[in-house]
Amino acid sequence: MRWDLLFDDLESQLDREQREEERVLALESERLRLARLSLRERIMALAAADGERGGIRLELAGGRTLLVQPTTFGRDWLSGHLVVQSGRSQCIVPMDAIAAVAAGRRQVDESLTRVPESSTRIAERIGLAFVLRDLGRRRIPVDLESLDGRHHGTIDRVGLDHLDLALHEPGTPRRERDVRGYRLVPFARVVAVTVQ
């Protein structure tokens, strides 16, 4: 009988130690996961949690703030709907142009949650240059905001690390006679590209 009590006691101690070890391993695993989170992944988690609630406030390099409902995440950019009073514009924001994400306590917690793996990961492999080339190929007029100002025009070509923007008046198509100048803008200076 005493042996039964001894073995029961040893068994319960072993169970407690095993549960404690599992708890410590789970905590360490979570610490490692959080240490590996990128800003892109945190914004993806915020977008998944936000739904249509009101958007995510991005503070960009150069001081501008955008309220965005992200829809697509590329390798080094995100795109989404600008939440503005008049109309619903689309924008593309390079991840390097994000100076900060303005968030409340709830959003900080939501940004730490796991985002389910996407079944179509093609967009996640596409870089900013590819997206800009597509806008240029389709001759879509854009508002390009760089660290040096905001300019309206059409992307003529996209190089390895820069783009050529043909400047023309908003509301007019890109015609050579209407082009009033060109800007060659390094990607590192691009803050946002807005399409109406």
Side-chain angles (χ1 to χ4, degrees):
M1 183 131 175
R2 288 175 43 203
W3 289 108
D4 290 341
L5 291 174
L6 177 66
F7 287 130
D8 287 344
D9 186 45
L10 287 174
E11 188 176 332
S12 68
Q13 283 180 14
L14 185 61
D15 282 345
R16 276 194 306 269
E17 288 174 10
Q18 190 172 14
R19 281 193 305 271
E20 178 62 19
E21 186 176 321
E22 288 170 358
R23 188 185 71 77
V24 169
L25 285 173
L27 285 172
E28 186 59 27
S29 176
E30 181 64 3
R31 275 191 217 102
L32 282 171
R33 183 186 77 80
L34 293 176
R36 292 182 179 135
L37 273 179
S38 67
L39 180 62
R40 178 180 173 276
E41 291 168 320
R42 291 189 73 179
I43 295 172
M44 287 175 75
L46 269 176
D50 185 66
E52 298 292 319
R53 275 196 303 224
I56 299 167
R57 189 168 305 282
L58 301 178
E59 295 175 5
L60 304 179
R64 184 159 182 230
T65 300
L66 296 178
L67 189 57
V68 180
Q69 289 177 330
T71 55
T72 308
F73 290 87
R75 183 178 65 228
D76 54 356
W77 56 274
L78 67 85
S79 71
H81 303 289
L82 284 175
V83 180
V84 291
Q85 309 300 20
S86 59
R88 193 168 164 108
S89 302
Q90 293 272 351
C91 71
I92 299 165
V93 178
M95 293 303 289
D96 288 341
I98 299 173
V101 176
R105 181 74 219 162
R106 176 187 50 82
Q107 288 178 307
V108 169
D109 292 341
E110 289 172 345
S111 75
L112 297 173
T113 60
R114 293 180 192 267
V115 177
E117 294 275 332
S118 169
S119 59
T120 57
R121 299 182 61 103
I122 293 174
E124 294 178 14
R125 293 191 307 244
I126 294 174
L128 178 64
F130 183 88
V131 176
L132 296 175
R133 280 188 192 100
D134 185 57
L135 290 174
R137 181 183 54 80
R138 292 193 276 150
R139 312 308 286 164
I140 296 175
V142 299
D143 288 323
L144 185 132
E145 185 170 343
S146 71
L147 292 171
D148 307 305
R150 188 178 185 120
H151 302 280
H152 181 82
T154 301
I155 298 172
D156 271 355
R157 65 193 58 78
V158 177
L160 176 66
D161 59 354
H162 69 283
L163 63 88
D164 296 2
L165 183 70
L167 304 174
H168 56 81
E169 291 299 317
T172 62
R174 190 237 185 267
R175 292 194 183 100
E176 195 60 41
R177 68 177 181 265
D178 296 327
V179 172
R180 63 177 194 274
Y182 298 89
R183 289 188 64 84
L184 283 65
V185 183
F187 292 157
R189 305 292 289 178
V190 175
V191 174
V193 178
T194 306
V195 179
Q196 300 296 331

PDB file of all heavy atoms in Angstrom, residues 80-102:
ATOM      1  N   GLY A  80      -3.670  48.531 -51.728  1.00  0.00           N
ATOM      2  CA  GLY A  80      -4.970  48.515 -51.083  1.00  0.00           C
ATOM      3  C   GLY A  80      -5.779  49.730 -51.439  1.00  0.00           C
ATOM      4  O   GLY A  80      -5.377  50.563 -52.256  1.00  0.00           O
ATOM      5  N   HIS A  81      -6.939  49.826 -50.806  1.00  0.00           N
ATOM      6  CA  HIS A  81      -7.844  50.944 -51.016  1.00  0.00           C
ATOM      7  C   HIS A  81      -7.508  52.038 -50.018  1.00  0.00           C
ATOM      8  O   HIS A  81      -7.366  51.770 -48.826  1.00  0.00           O
ATOM      9  CB  HIS A  81      -9.296  50.514 -50.819  1.00  0.00           C
ATOM     10  CG  HIS A  81      -9.714  49.395 -51.706  1.00  0.00           C
ATOM     11  ND1 HIS A  81      -9.883  49.553 -53.065  1.00  0.00           N
ATOM     12  CD2 HIS A  81      -9.992  48.103 -51.441  1.00  0.00           C
ATOM     13  CE1 HIS A  81     -10.249  48.398 -53.587  1.00  0.00           C
ATOM     14  NE2 HIS A  81     -10.309  47.500 -52.623  1.00  0.00           N
ATOM     15  N   LEU A  82      -7.400  53.264 -50.518  1.00  0.00           N
ATOM     16  CA  LEU A  82      -7.244  54.401 -49.625  1.00  0.00           C
ATOM     17  C   LEU A  82      -8.601  54.720 -49.032  1.00  0.00           C
ATOM     18  O   LEU A  82      -9.592  54.804 -49.760  1.00  0.00           O
ATOM     19  CB  LEU A  82      -6.736  55.629 -50.389  1.00  0.00           C
ATOM     20  CG  LEU A  82      -5.274  55.647 -50.752  1.00  0.00           C
ATOM     21  CD1 LEU A  82      -4.958  56.868 -51.601  1.00  0.00           C
ATOM     22  CD2 LEU A  82      -4.420  55.657 -49.503  1.00  0.00           C
ATOM     23  N   VAL A  83      -8.664  54.878 -47.739  1.00  0.00           N
ATOM     24  CA  VAL A  83      -9.913  55.233 -47.082  1.00  0.00           C
ATOM     25  C   VAL A  83      -9.950  56.757 -47.018  1.00  0.00           C
ATOM     26  O   VAL A  83      -9.263  57.368 -46.214  1.00  0.00           O
ATOM     27  CB  VAL A  83      -9.988  54.620 -45.660  1.00  0.00           C
ATOM     28  CG1 VAL A  83     -11.296  55.001 -44.991  1.00  0.00           C
ATOM     29  CG2 VAL A  83      -9.820  53.117 -45.730  1.00  0.00           C
ATOM     30  N   VAL A  84     -10.711  57.340 -47.940  1.00  0.00           N
ATOM     31  CA  VAL A  84     -10.833  58.800 -48.025  1.00  0.00           C
ATOM     32  C   VAL A  84     -12.306  59.158 -48.130  1.00  0.00           C
ATOM     33  O   VAL A  84     -13.138  58.321 -48.468  1.00  0.00           O
ATOM     34  CB  VAL A  84     -10.049  59.374 -49.231  1.00  0.00           C
ATOM     35  CG1 VAL A  84      -8.561  59.238 -49.021  1.00  0.00           C
ATOM     36  CG2 VAL A  84     -10.463  58.717 -50.521  1.00  0.00           C
ATOM     37  N   GLN A  85     -12.613  60.431 -47.866  1.00  0.00           N
ATOM     38  CA  GLN A  85     -13.997  60.879 -47.906  1.00  0.00           C
ATOM     39  C   GLN A  85     -14.572  60.826 -49.316  1.00  0.00           C
ATOM     40  O   GLN A  85     -15.710  60.457 -49.514  1.00  0.00           O
ATOM     41  CB  GLN A  85     -14.112  62.319 -47.365  1.00  0.00           C
ATOM     42  CG  GLN A  85     -13.457  62.545 -46.023  1.00  0.00           C
ATOM     43  CD  GLN A  85     -14.042  61.662 -44.927  1.00  0.00           C
ATOM     44  OE1 GLN A  85     -14.656  60.646 -45.164  1.00  0.00           O
ATOM     45  NE2 GLN A  85     -13.822  62.069 -43.697  1.00  0.00           N
ATOM     46  N   SER A  86     -13.801  61.229 -50.317  1.00  0.00           N
ATOM     47  CA  SER A  86     -14.335  61.285 -51.685  1.00  0.00           C
ATOM     48  C   SER A  86     -13.688  60.201 -52.537  1.00  0.00           C
ATOM     49  O   SER A  86     -12.497  60.218 -52.788  1.00  0.00           O
ATOM     50  CB  SER A  86     -14.057  62.652 -52.290  1.00  0.00           C
ATOM     51  OG  SER A  86     -12.675  62.901 -52.299  1.00  0.00           O
ATOM     52  N   GLY A  87     -14.484  59.263 -52.973  1.00  0.00           N
ATOM     53  CA  GLY A  87     -13.982  58.229 -53.871  1.00  0.00           C
ATOM     54  C   GLY A  87     -13.233  57.128 -53.157  1.00  0.00           C
ATOM     55  O   GLY A  87     -13.095  57.109 -51.947  1.00  0.00           O
ATOM     56  N   ARG A  88     -12.750  56.199 -53.969  1.00  0.00           N
ATOM     57  CA  ARG A  88     -12.024  55.048 -53.438  1.00  0.00           C
ATOM     58  C   ARG A  88     -10.832  54.784 -54.351  1.00  0.00           C
ATOM     59  O   ARG A  88     -10.944  54.081 -55.341  1.00  0.00           O
ATOM     60  CB  ARG A  88     -12.963  53.845 -53.384  1.00  0.00           C
ATOM     61  CG  ARG A  88     -12.433  52.713 -52.572  1.00  0.00           C
ATOM     62  CD  ARG A  88     -13.565  51.727 -52.350  1.00  0.00           C
ATOM     63  NE  ARG A  88     -13.059  50.460 -51.908  1.00  0.00           N
ATOM     64  CZ  ARG A  88     -13.207  50.007 -50.676  1.00  0.00           C
ATOM     65  NH1 ARG A  88     -13.863  50.700 -49.798  1.00  0.00           N
ATOM     66  NH2 ARG A  88     -12.728  48.833 -50.342  1.00  0.00           N
ATOM     67  N   SER A  89      -9.712  55.340 -53.998  1.00  0.00           N
ATOM     68  CA  SER A  89      -8.501  55.201 -54.795  1.00  0.00           C
ATOM     69  C   SER A  89      -7.727  53.964 -54.375  1.00  0.00           C
ATOM     70  O   SER A  89      -7.841  53.493 -53.248  1.00  0.00           O
ATOM     71  CB  SER A  89      -7.608  56.430 -54.615  1.00  0.00           C
ATOM     72  OG  SER A  89      -8.287  57.595 -54.974  1.00  0.00           O
ATOM     73  N   GLN A  90      -6.920  53.466 -55.283  1.00  0.00           N
ATOM     74  CA  GLN A  90      -5.997  52.365 -55.007  1.00  0.00           C
ATOM     75  C   GLN A  90      -4.611  52.953 -54.817  1.00  0.00           C
ATOM     76  O   GLN A  90      -4.266  53.947 -55.459  1.00  0.00           O
ATOM     77  CB  GLN A  90      -5.954  51.397 -56.195  1.00  0.00           C
ATOM     78  CG  GLN A  90      -7.220  50.656 -56.438  1.00  0.00           C
ATOM     79  CD  GLN A  90      -7.277  49.376 -55.631  1.00  0.00           C
ATOM     80  OE1 GLN A  90      -6.306  48.974 -55.022  1.00  0.00           O
ATOM     81  NE2 GLN A  90      -8.435  48.766 -55.614  1.00  0.00           N
ATOM     82  N   CYS A  91      -3.826  52.331 -53.962  1.00  0.00           N
ATOM     83  CA  CYS A  91      -2.449  52.795 -53.798  1.00  0.00           C
ATOM     84  C   CYS A  91      -1.513  51.605 -53.664  1.00  0.00           C
ATOM     85  O   CYS A  91      -1.923  50.510 -53.293  1.00  0.00           O
ATOM     86  CB  CYS A  91      -2.309  53.721 -52.598  1.00  0.00           C
ATOM     87  SG  CYS A  91      -2.447  52.885 -51.017  1.00  0.00           S
ATOM     88  N   ILE A  92      -0.277  51.871 -53.994  1.00  0.00           N
ATOM     89  CA  ILE A  92       0.814  50.906 -53.828  1.00  0.00           C
ATOM     90  C   ILE A  92       1.837  51.589 -52.931  1.00  0.00           C
ATOM     91  O   ILE A  92       2.230  52.731 -53.185  1.00  0.00           O
ATOM     92  CB  ILE A  92       1.449  50.539 -55.181  1.00  0.00           C
ATOM     93  CG1 ILE A  92       0.406  49.890 -56.086  1.00  0.00           C
ATOM     94  CG2 ILE A  92       2.655  49.626 -54.985  1.00  0.00           C
ATOM     95  CD1 ILE A  92       0.817  49.818 -57.530  1.00  0.00           C
ATOM     96  N   VAL A  93       2.241  50.888 -51.876  1.00  0.00           N
ATOM     97  CA  VAL A  93       3.195  51.452 -50.921  1.00  0.00           C
ATOM     98  C   VAL A  93       4.371  50.484 -50.787  1.00  0.00           C
ATOM     99  O   VAL A  93       4.173  49.324 -50.410  1.00  0.00           O
ATOM    100  CB  VAL A  93       2.544  51.667 -49.532  1.00  0.00           C
ATOM    101  CG1 VAL A  93       3.563  52.200 -48.540  1.00  0.00           C
ATOM    102  CG2 VAL A  93       1.344  52.592 -49.631  1.00  0.00           C
ATOM    103  N   PRO A  94       5.591  50.940 -51.107  1.00  0.00           N
ATOM    104  CA  PRO A  94       6.759  50.090 -50.847  1.00  0.00           C
ATOM    105  C   PRO A  94       6.919  49.882 -49.345  1.00  0.00           C
ATOM    106  O   PRO A  94       6.728  50.811 -48.556  1.00  0.00           O
ATOM    107  CB  PRO A  94       7.929  50.906 -51.403  1.00  0.00           C
ATOM    108  CG  PRO A  94       7.318  51.937 -52.291  1.00  0.00           C
ATOM    109  CD  PRO A  94       5.946  52.195 -51.754  1.00  0.00           C
ATOM    110  N   MET A  95       7.246  48.674 -48.938  1.00  0.00           N
ATOM    111  CA  MET A  95       7.411  48.394 -47.501  1.00  0.00           C
ATOM    112  C   MET A  95       8.509  49.275 -46.898  1.00  0.00           C
ATOM    113  O   MET A  95       8.395  49.687 -45.745  1.00  0.00           O
ATOM    114  CB  MET A  95       7.731  46.913 -47.277  1.00  0.00           C
ATOM    115  CG  MET A  95       6.590  45.968 -47.629  1.00  0.00           C
ATOM    116  SD  MET A  95       5.036  46.286 -46.768  1.00  0.00           S
ATOM    117  CE  MET A  95       5.451  45.785 -45.126  1.00  0.00           C
ATOM    118  N   ASP A  96       9.544  49.583 -47.670  1.00  0.00           N
ATOM    119  CA  ASP A  96      10.629  50.425 -47.161  1.00  0.00           C
ATOM    120  C   ASP A  96      10.188  51.858 -46.916  1.00  0.00           C
ATOM    121  O   ASP A  96      10.884  52.601 -46.227  1.00  0.00           O
ATOM    122  CB  ASP A  96      11.818  50.420 -48.122  1.00  0.00           C
ATOM    123  CG  ASP A  96      12.562  49.090 -48.107  1.00  0.00           C
ATOM    124  OD1 ASP A  96      12.398  48.331 -47.132  1.00  0.00           O
ATOM    125  OD2 ASP A  96      13.305  48.823 -49.069  1.00  0.00           O
ATOM    126  N   ALA A  97       9.053  52.276 -47.481  1.00  0.00           N
ATOM    127  CA  ALA A  97       8.567  53.643 -47.301  1.00  0.00           C
ATOM    128  C   ALA A  97       7.732  53.795 -46.030  1.00  0.00           C
ATOM    129  O   ALA A  97       7.375  54.902 -45.659  1.00  0.00           O
ATOM    130  CB  ALA A  97       7.746  54.074 -48.512  1.00  0.00           C
ATOM    131  N   ILE A  98       7.419  52.688 -45.369  1.00  0.00           N
ATOM    132  CA  ILE A  98       6.613  52.760 -44.155  1.00  0.00           C
ATOM    133  C   ILE A  98       7.520  53.124 -42.984  1.00  0.00           C
ATOM    134  O   ILE A  98       8.422  52.377 -42.623  1.00  0.00           O
ATOM    135  CB  ILE A  98       5.880  51.427 -43.892  1.00  0.00           C
ATOM    136  CG1 ILE A  98       4.930  51.116 -45.049  1.00  0.00           C
ATOM    137  CG2 ILE A  98       5.127  51.478 -42.562  1.00  0.00           C
ATOM    138  CD1 ILE A  98       4.289  49.743 -44.978  1.00  0.00           C
ATOM    139  N   ALA A  99       7.259  54.303 -42.416  1.00  0.00           N
ATOM    140  CA  ALA A  99       8.046  54.758 -41.268  1.00  0.00           C
ATOM    141  C   ALA A  99       7.496  54.160 -39.977  1.00  0.00           C
ATOM    142  O   ALA A  99       8.257  53.868 -39.059  1.00  0.00           O
ATOM    143  CB  ALA A  99       8.033  56.284 -41.191  1.00  0.00           C
ATOM    144  N   ALA A 100       6.168  53.969 -39.911  1.00  0.00           N
ATOM    145  CA  ALA A 100       5.538  53.404 -38.721  1.00  0.00           C
ATOM    146  C   ALA A 100       4.100  53.023 -39.047  1.00  0.00           C
ATOM    147  O   ALA A 100       3.532  53.494 -40.023  1.00  0.00           O
ATOM    148  CB  ALA A 100       5.556  54.403 -37.568  1.00  0.00           C
ATOM    149  N   VAL A 101       3.543  52.162 -38.215  1.00  0.00           N
ATOM    150  CA  VAL A 101       2.121  51.842 -38.271  1.00  0.00           C
ATOM    151  C   VAL A 101       1.529  52.387 -36.979  1.00  0.00           C
ATOM    152  O   VAL A 101       1.953  52.001 -35.892  1.00  0.00           O
ATOM    153  CB  VAL A 101       1.878  50.317 -38.373  1.00  0.00           C
ATOM    154  CG1 VAL A 101       0.391  50.004 -38.334  1.00  0.00           C
ATOM    155  CG2 VAL A 101       2.521  49.752 -39.633  1.00  0.00           C
ATOM    156  N   ALA A 102       0.571  53.322 -37.113  1.00  0.00           N
ATOM    157  CA  ALA A 102      -0.082  53.881 -35.929  1.00  0.00           C
ATOM    158  C   ALA A 102      -1.165  52.897 -35.505  1.00  0.00           C
ATOM    159  O   ALA A 102      -2.073  52.606 -36.271  1.00  0.00           O
ATOM    160  CB  ALA A 102      -0.680  55.248 -36.240  1.00  0.00           C
TER     161      ALA A 102
END
